[in-house]
Amino acid sequence: MPTIAELCAERTPLSPEEADIIIDLSRHLQLFADVFQSDVFIDCPLADQGTALVVAEAKPTTAPSLYRSSVVGLHAYAHNEPAVMFSLLSGQPVIGSRGISQEQIAIRQNVVPIRAKTGRVIGVLIMEQDISELVEQEKNVERLRETTEQLSETLLAVALSESSVQSLMHEGIVLFDGQAHITYANPRAREMLQEIGHSGAPEGSSLAELFYGKLDRASLLAPAGIVRQELVLGHVALELKTVSINRQHQGALGLMLIRDISDLKEKEKQLVIKSAVIKEIHHRVKNNLQTVSSLLRLQMRRTKLDEVEKIYRDSINRINSIAVIHEMLAYDGLETIQFNDVLDRIAKNVVSSTAKPDQTIRVAIAGDALTLPSDMATTLALVSNELVQNCATHAFVDREQGDIRISLYCSGQIVRMEVADNGIGLPAAGDSARKGHLGLKITETLVRENLGGLLQMASTGEGTQVTVTFPLFPAEPKPV
């Protein structure tokens, strides 16, 4: 097996001094692996920015390893390990990213950048832990949570027929016989029955009488399961839960829990009102943006200068991209956005407004479903608008047709969006031409400042591909 020095010298762009830093750190990997009970690796960047090389590893002696054989000398690719590539390119750590190992084991991955004395990122330190048991526990907790309520109420029903604990309960408790006549009511149940207009002892009365005929007697006496019902009687809202316990020899067949949910219903009412107000605000913002867009479109039609018309069109597309976000927020009333739908609408709108009359430009969207907070979705909508607009404007000059493919990938905390075309590719000027392009300047600023991410542009041999990579939860800014 080649040494770390040989791997760094032969296969990476690291200098001898930078390789010495990697070699020195590798001497401590076994200690890290044993202390943290993790598989520990060092990956170094290659000339290809989408690939890294595993140059060192250590398997824990204090816990089982995730790997059956050595991975030193193998490549790590962006589509398999996005957290590693994001940390190498951005210099930011990624903590708690989840993934699947080569042996199909659920893992938690922590990635920390390694820097040279100059501050340049020359590698990443990776710790991977087996969390398959944790994942299974989370699934079990979810299943238990679904059955806890039914189980606890059944146990409570059995206990109530044999003890006096019912007088300590905050919920109203009512026991009834096979004819749906009440045999017992605790003090809290008596209070709530008085609030809906009943006086005197409820024992002997039928449930139908107490709740003014609004209960289904057949469902109350069902042999199994819990029957839930909400009643609004005057200013009081009650939640009723009935369970059959089949203890006829003690004079009781069923148990009913009564809960006063008047305050809860009032809060729900206020939330509904607030939600409606928020949706109306988003609706009005969308309308105002569309009004501004229409005014700009009228101004655009009056100009005879192609450059001025292009500036108007670019501004209109940006405004419409933001309006799409507010339209969805107004429709759903949520603070999160299904971004795939937004992306589809933006791409079609940009292509229809930018393509020449004799051009056919097709757009395809693929990859993972992506849900984003509204502020992050707004930023990515603007970024998508600029990238698609750039493709439609520059990639298919003097061509009658072209294809734009947009792919979304979400792995753990890392999101990657690729916008690729089969156009003419990047100009020979490369970065110099890119620096003078306002749309790309806007895009790079939005990705870096608002998303805390990276933007990469490259010719693919079949056109141009722009890749935007960013964390779902950007790191908090460091205090000054």
Side-chain angles (χ1 to χ4, degrees):
M1 179 182 296
T3 65
I4 297 175
E6 291 172 342
L7 287 172
C8 291
E10 297 172 4
R11 300 175 61 180
T12 74
L14 301 186
S15 67
E17 292 78 12
E18 292 171 338
D20 288 339
I21 295 175
I22 299 296
I23 294 170
D24 183 65
L25 180 60
S26 69
R27 297 189 180 102
H28 306 284
L29 290 192
Q30 190 60 54
L31 176 62
F32 292 160
D34 291 340
V35 171
F36 294 102
Q37 297 183 323
S38 305
D39 286 277
V40 184
F41 308 91
I42 296 178
D43 286 12
C44 291
L46 299 178
D48 177 8
Q49 290 189 340
T51 312
L53 178 69
V54 184
V55 300
E57 67 178 358
K59 299 180 180 180
T61 60
T62 55
S65 172
L66 294 168
Y67 297 85
R68 298 172 186 169
S69 59
S70 174
V71 296
V72 171
L74 299 183
H75 286 176
Y77 299 99
H79 60 275
N80 289 331
E81 298 191 61
V84 172
M85 303 313 303
F86 179 81
S87 187
L88 278 172
L89 294 172
S90 70
Q92 299 180 25
V94 178
I95 306 300
S97 180
R98 291 191 176 188
I100 302 296
S101 72
Q102 295 178 357
E103 282 75 15
Q104 300 302 306
I105 298 174
I107 61 172
R108 178 189 290 118
Q109 192 178 62
N110 296 334
V111 185
V112 179
I114 304 169
R115 298 182 184 273
K117 293 180 180 179
T118 60
R120 188 169 80 97
V121 177
I122 60 174
V124 288
L125 178 67
I126 308 165
M127 294 185 182
E128 294 182 352
Q129 290 180 315
D130 183 352
I131 59 169
S132 53
E133 291 185 5
L134 175 61
V135 172
E136 186 61 29
Q137 288 176 1
E138 290 174 349
K139 293 179 181 178
N140 290 336
V141 168
E142 183 65 26
R143 288 193 291 265
L144 285 172
R145 187 168 60 181
E146 295 175 355
T147 59
T148 294
E149 185 174 1
Q150 180 174 354
L151 177 61
S152 62
E153 289 184 353
T154 301
L155 292 175
L156 175 64
V158 175
L160 283 173
S161 64
E162 299 176 345
S163 71
S164 60
V165 71
Q166 58 266 28
S167 62
L168 303 177
M169 301 294 292
H170 293 288
E171 290 84 2
I173 300 174
V174 171
L175 298 179
F176 55 90
D177 60 19
Q179 301 303 315
H181 290 136
I182 296 176
T183 59
Y184 172 81
N186 75 337
R188 180 58 181 145
R190 296 169 187 264
E191 291 176 7
M192 286 188 277
L193 291 173
Q194 289 176 0
E195 290 178 3
I196 61 174
H198 295 287
S199 60
E203 283 80 4
S205 301
S206 70
L207 289 173
E209 294 174 359
L210 290 180
F211 296 102
Y212 303 100
K214 293 188 176 183
L215 298 181
D216 181 358
R217 183 174 180 275
S219 63
L220 294 179
L221 300 177
I226 299 174
V227 179
R228 292 180 173 85
Q229 186 174 355
E230 290 185 5
L231 298 178
V232 178
L233 302 168
H235 65 282
V236 180
L238 300 177
E239 179 186 51
L240 310 180
K241 295 181 181 180
T242 307
V243 59
S244 298
I245 57 177
N246 295 315
R247 296 177 64 84
Q248 295 180 352
H249 60 282
Q250 294 189 12
L253 180 71
L255 174 143
M256 176 183 287
L257 296 177
I258 308 174
R259 182 185 175 197
D260 189 338
I261 57 171
S262 302
D263 290 342
L264 180 62
K265 284 295 181 182
E266 181 61 27
K267 291 178 181 178
E268 288 181 353
K269 179 181 177 181
Q270 295 300 321
L271 286 175
V272 170
I273 294 174
K274 290 179 180 179
S275 177
V277 171
I278 292 172
K279 290 171 68 174
E280 178 63 21
I281 291 172
H282 284 302
H283 180 71
R284 294 190 181 188
V285 170
K286 183 263 296 184
N287 288 344
N288 290 338
L289 289 172
Q290 290 182 338
T291 299
V292 173
S293 178
S294 299
L295 292 174
L296 290 176
R297 191 173 289 107
L298 289 173
Q299 288 290 106
M300 180 182 70
R301 291 171 181 169
R302 299 185 62 177
T303 184
K304 297 180 180 180
L305 299 175
D306 292 341
E307 182 64 24
V308 174
E309 182 179 342
K310 180 182 181 302
I311 292 173
Y312 274 121
R313 185 181 296 108
D314 291 351
S315 299
I316 291 170
N317 286 337
R318 290 165 187 153
I319 292 171
N320 287 340
S321 298
I322 300 174
V324 169
I325 299 293
H326 285 283
E327 182 177 358
M328 288 196 163
L329 290 172
Y331 181 77
D332 295 330
L334 303 174
E335 285 304 311
T336 57
I337 297 290
Q338 294 291 333
F339 191 72
N340 302 63
D341 298 334
V342 173
L343 190 56
D344 181 63
R345 294 181 58 177
I346 289 174
K348 291 178 179 177
N349 177 64
V350 171
V351 168
S352 65
S353 65
T354 307
K356 299 175 183 178
D358 57 345
Q359 275 186 323
T360 300
I361 299 177
R362 296 171 291 272
V363 178
I365 299 174
D368 301 328
L370 182 61
T371 302
L372 295 176
S374 58
D375 55 345
M376 190 173 285
T378 301
T379 298
L380 196 58
L382 287 170
V383 170
S384 305
N385 174 83
E386 297 298 331
L387 294 180
V388 175
Q389 190 164 271
N390 189 58
C391 292
T393 303
H394 301 289
F396 309 114
V397 177
D398 299 329
R399 295 192 181 189
E400 295 183 354
Q401 59 182 353
D403 294 286
I404 301 173
R405 180 177 178 83
I406 308 174
S407 303
L408 293 171
Y409 304 100
C410 184
S411 177
Q413 297 180 13
I414 305 300
V415 175
R416 188 172 84 255
M417 181 176 75
E418 297 175 353
V419 180
D421 62 64
N422 61 349
I424 61 176
L426 291 174
D431 287 341
S432 61
R434 176 178 167 184
K435 290 178 181 177
H437 196 288
L438 176 61
L440 287 178
K441 284 184 178 180
I442 292 174
T443 303
E444 290 178 330
T445 301
L446 289 171
V447 172
R448 183 178 64 253
E449 301 296 336
N450 291 18
L451 297 178
L454 298 167
L455 183 143
Q456 298 168 281
M457 178 179 292
S459 290
T460 62
E462 299 178 352
T464 303
Q465 176 173 304
V466 180
T467 302
V468 176
T469 309
F470 62 93
L472 279 175
F473 306 100
E476 294 292 333
K478 296 180 180 179
V480 180

